[in-house]
Amino acid sequence: MAVDYAVIALYLAGMLAMGWWGMRRAKSKSEFLVAGRRLGPWMYSGTMAAIVLGGASTIGGVGLGYKYGLSGAWMVFAIGLGLLALSVFFSARIARLKVYTVSEMLDLRYGGRAGVISGVVMWAYTLMLAVTSTIAYATIFDVLFDLPRTVAIVLGGTIVVAYSTLGGMWSITITDMVQFVVKTIGVLLLLLPIAVVKAGGFAEMKAALPTSYFEPLGIGGETIFTYVLIYTFGMLIGQDIWQRVFTARTDKVAKWGGTVAGTYCLAYALAGAVIGTAAKVLYPNLPSADDAFATIVKDELPMGVRGLVLAAALAAVMSTSSGALIACATVANNDIWSRLRGTASEAEDDHDEVKGNRLFILIMGVAVIVIAIALNDVVQALTVAYNLLVAGLLVPILGGLLWRRGTVQGALAAVTVGGLAVIGLMWTYGILANEPVYYGLLASLAAYVIVSLATRPTDAAVLAHWRARLAGQDTTGQDTTGAPEPEAGAVPVAATG
């Protein structure tokens, strides 16, 4: 294992070096939180693919392939579909808003009063996403070094917190690009063909396994529908995803670069399912499907290659963890703390804002590590987070983008009713049941439409300002491309009352 250890150590050292490089570049709030909104198409595509394809997509995707065959690709496939939908239909308009958080977008659309409640929901989601990603370090470091769970979480979490705190989005962008390359080589170019060959090829795999393993819908129609509802729609509204959209140099980069990343996700989904299917042939009686990835890597790959593939799994976890961490800290600082203490962002200079956001990443990072050590049921925690996100925020966000008649009262009602409904239904049906997110989303939609129609339409000045920002213009109709960024949450004077 000495060669494998050397590969992993070199990779981890490189991640810390990227953090140091990012610290020297991130001198303003825009540089620290959204990489100066300067990413071109190739870097944008790579980093976007890196953040959405995390440990669940890699280790969990292979596990679903082990359990269900090729139809196990549907979870990651749903993620890819969500990224494609976001990129094709919404990302260009989102990028032109030049905001930092989803809650700031809601403030712009509805008039400055929707941010805190939505910020709390988004913060809970990003926190749990960061926690569950951090827990995944335990699996990888156990295979590598046979480390205790707590030590593995602290080791992996400390590295991510270090480079994220030092350089913010610039560090995360560069490390994610490296992680994208490592994942592509390790999983798609090495593990996939080796796993298929070791299993005897597709003909042998078909002969050894039930026919259900090769049916596209073998995992079940209801499961596929739930994946699409949670993960596809979750991609449309998650702060961790939007914050990457904000890094695009232009709206065209956001649209077409995201489309490339989404297509890559579809290929990655199929690869994971095939690897899992091959593992089922090689190891038909594993105690847990999630052990399939680590087992096939440890037993079937030659030294050096094994280290690179394990580095690919580590890269997958780190990219999601760091993206969720900076999203969590950004929401906590900009959407919750700044509003509660009543300070306007323009009251601070760039240095103070970078310092404040860096401090929040450190605080949230420590909290994530502590919660990850204490938490046992990862699936339940992540399910609660996604249910709250989709049931509480999907309707007001998409409604604001698509329906002119939506009002701030309707948005607040949708967040409140959807959130409370999904919590009550999870209590009734169980956390892992499908019904809570179904009925919670319907309740949120009903509340949004009914309350919006029953209240006064959004002020015309707010809508005019909103449409101008969507078009990449100021309120006089001038193109703001390349101009200094407007204050993200600013609304016209007429909108304040």
Side-chain angles (χ1 to χ4, degrees):
M1 293 287 289
V3 176
D4 298 323
Y5 292 161
V7 171
I8 298 296
L10 183 63
Y11 170 77
L12 294 177
M15 295 301 98
L16 292 174
M18 294 301 175
W20 181 260
W21 178 88
M23 182 180 68
R24 298 170 62 86
R25 184 156 188 172
K27 301 297 184 183
S28 68
K29 179 180 179 180
S30 176
E31 295 279 354
F32 191 81
L33 294 183
V34 290
R37 308 188 195 273
R38 288 192 290 177
L39 298 192
W42 294 112
M43 186 166 284
Y44 178 86
S45 298
T47 57
M48 181 62 87
I51 187 177
V52 300
L53 296 174
S57 300
T58 304
I59 299 171
V62 171
L64 287 173
Y66 182 89
K67 190 173 183 180
Y68 298 105
L70 298 186
S71 66
W74 270 105
M75 183 187 77
V76 184
F77 204 81
I79 292 173
L81 291 177
L83 185 53
L84 284 171
L86 174 69
S87 302
V88 173
F89 298 112
F90 300 110
S91 63
R93 288 186 288 174
I94 292 170
R96 288 195 293 264
L97 289 174
K98 295 192 181 300
V99 295
Y100 292 99
T101 67
V102 174
S103 295
E104 288 176 359
M105 167 264 170
L106 292 173
D107 277 352
L108 276 173
R109 168 60 181 83
Y110 295 112
R113 290 173 287 172
V116 175
I117 295 178
S118 62
V120 170
V121 175
M122 189 64 75
W123 173 79
Y125 157 73
T126 53
L127 179 69
M128 283 295 97
L129 184 61
V131 166
T132 54
S133 300
T134 302
I135 290 174
Y137 297 130
T139 301
I140 299 170
F141 282 113
D142 177 59
V143 174
L144 286 171
F145 308 117
D146 196 26
L147 290 176
R149 178 180 183 274
T150 298
V151 175
I153 289 173
V154 171
L155 176 60
T158 299
I159 292 171
V160 169
V161 172
Y163 73 70
S164 301
T165 301
L166 287 173
M169 186 59 82
W170 267 124
S171 294
I172 292 171
T173 295
I174 300 302
T175 54
D176 276 0
M177 196 62 198
V178 174
Q179 288 158 359
F180 169 75
V181 173
V182 171
K183 279 192 289 191
T184 301
I185 296 173
V187 176
L188 296 184
L189 302 184
L190 292 177
L191 182 58
L192 174 62
I194 290 174
V196 172
V197 170
K198 291 283 187 178
F202 284 104
E204 181 63 28
M205 290 164 62
K206 286 185 176 181
L209 296 173
T211 56
S212 62
Y213 267 70
F214 301 92
E215 295 174 356
L217 305 180
I219 198 171
E222 184 179 355
T223 300
I224 294 171
F225 179 77
T226 302
Y227 284 156
V228 171
L229 186 63
I230 293 178
Y231 295 111
T232 300
F233 285 110
M235 288 294 106
L236 297 180
I237 58 177
Q239 169 67 25
D240 51 325
I241 310 302
W242 278 42
Q243 199 156 342
R244 293 311 173 95
V245 175
F246 301 150
T247 65
R249 182 190 302 158
T250 65
D251 54 2
K252 290 183 178 179
V253 169
K255 182 175 182 178
W256 297 112
T259 301
V260 171
T263 305
Y264 177 91
C265 290
L266 302 183
Y268 199 89
L270 185 59
V274 171
I275 293 168
T277 304
K280 183 67 175 179
V281 175
L282 295 168
Y283 312 99
N285 298 311
L286 290 178
S288 170
D290 286 339
D291 294 336
F293 179 88
T295 302
I296 195 170
V297 169
K298 190 174 183 180
D299 293 349
E300 302 298 335
L301 299 184
M303 66 178 183
V305 174
R306 178 173 50 210
L308 182 60
V309 174
L310 287 172
L314 193 60
V317 175
M318 281 187 161
S319 57
T320 299
S321 181
S322 58
L325 176 59
I326 193 171
C328 177
T330 302
V331 171
N333 187 21
N334 292 271
D335 291 339
I336 300 175
W337 175 245
S338 294
R339 296 168 192 261
L340 291 178
R341 66 177 182 157
T343 57
S345 58
E346 64 263 26
E348 300 180 86
D349 60 30
D350 282 340
H351 175 76
D352 290 336
E353 291 213 46
V354 170
K355 183 179 178 181
N357 282 292
R358 183 174 281 135
L359 177 62
F360 265 84
I361 291 179
L362 179 60
I363 293 172
M364 291 296 106
V366 172
V368 163
I369 292 172
V370 171
I371 296 171
I373 292 172
L375 195 64
N376 291 319
D377 201 325
V378 180
V379 175
Q380 289 195 4
L382 192 59
T383 300
V384 170
Y386 266 104
N387 283 354
L388 282 172
L389 176 72
V390 173
L393 292 180
L394 179 66
V395 170
I397 291 173
L398 293 188
L401 289 168
L402 300 173
W403 192 38
R404 176 188 176 93
R405 188 59 181 81
T407 67
V408 64
Q409 293 87 353
L412 292 173
V415 174
T416 304
V417 171
L420 292 177
V422 80
I423 291 173
L425 290 165
M426 283 190 291
W427 182 271
T428 302
Y429 288 97
I431 291 177
L432 299 180
N434 294 327
E435 289 85 355
V437 70
Y438 296 166
Y439 300 143
L441 187 57
L442 289 175
S444 178
L445 177 61
Y448 181 72
V449 173
I450 292 171
V451 175
S452 291
L453 292 176
T455 52
R456 293 179 58 186
T458 304
D459 191 284
V462 173
L463 288 177
H465 184 68
W466 164 254
R467 288 194 298 270
R469 290 286 289 271
L470 277 179
Q473 301 172 337
D474 59 24
T475 52
T476 65
Q478 297 297 312
D479 190 340
T480 59
T481 303
E485 293 185 15
E487 179 57 34
V491 294
V493 174
T496 64

